[in-house]
Amino acid sequence: MKLMARNAQQVGTALRRIRTAQNMTQTELSVQSGVRQATISTIEAGHPGTRLETICQILAALELEFIIAPRASDARPNIAEIF
């Protein structure tokens, strides 16, 4: 499953979706990652300010990795460019 995340809310949503797709509870993820369950809940709720190291611990427990890529353009073509 590939998900795009550009802000804390989207990161939290993506992690929650992947965790639940793996049939894992927050408590199970907490044990596997070494991150407090309350912290996982806070991240999944989209609160900013989480340390990168903490995100990396969660990603490793979910067998995920960061991939840095150019941002896709959200711009829609100008109507004059279409014709």
Side-chain angles (χ1 to χ4, degrees), residues 14 24 40 50 58 76 80-81:
M24 186 183 297
I40 292 169
T50 303
I58 293 170
R76 296 180 186 188
E81 295 172 2

Side-chain angles (χ1 to χ4, degrees), residues 5-17 19 26 37-51 55 58:
R6 292 181 175 174
N7 58 46
Q9 183 69 45
Q10 291 172 345
V11 168
T13 298
L15 290 175
R16 184 180 64 251
R17 285 183 183 172
R19 176 184 57 76
Q26 287 184 351
Q37 181 274 325
T39 301
I40 292 169
S41 178
T42 298
I43 293 167
E44 289 185 359
H47 294 289
T50 303
R51 292 177 40 193
I55 296 293
I58 293 170

Side-chain angles (χ1 to χ4, degrees), residues 6-77:
R6 292 181 175 174
N7 58 46
Q9 183 69 45
Q10 291 172 345
V11 168
T13 298
L15 290 175
R16 184 180 64 251
R17 285 183 183 172
I18 292 167
R19 176 184 57 76
T20 58
Q22 293 182 13
N23 296 313
M24 186 183 297
T25 66
Q26 287 184 351
T27 302
E28 291 168 332
L29 180 56
S30 173
V31 170
Q32 288 189 10
S33 66
V35 174
R36 293 177 53 239
Q37 181 274 325
T39 301
I40 292 169
S41 178
T42 298
I43 293 167
E44 289 185 359
H47 294 289
T50 303
R51 292 177 40 193
L52 183 57
E53 179 180 351
T54 303
I55 296 293
C56 288
Q57 288 174 263
I58 293 170
L59 291 173
L62 292 170
E63 298 185 9
L64 300 172
E65 62 189 4
F66 275 117
I67 295 177
I68 307 298
R71 183 174 266 211
S73 174
D74 288 337
R76 296 180 186 188

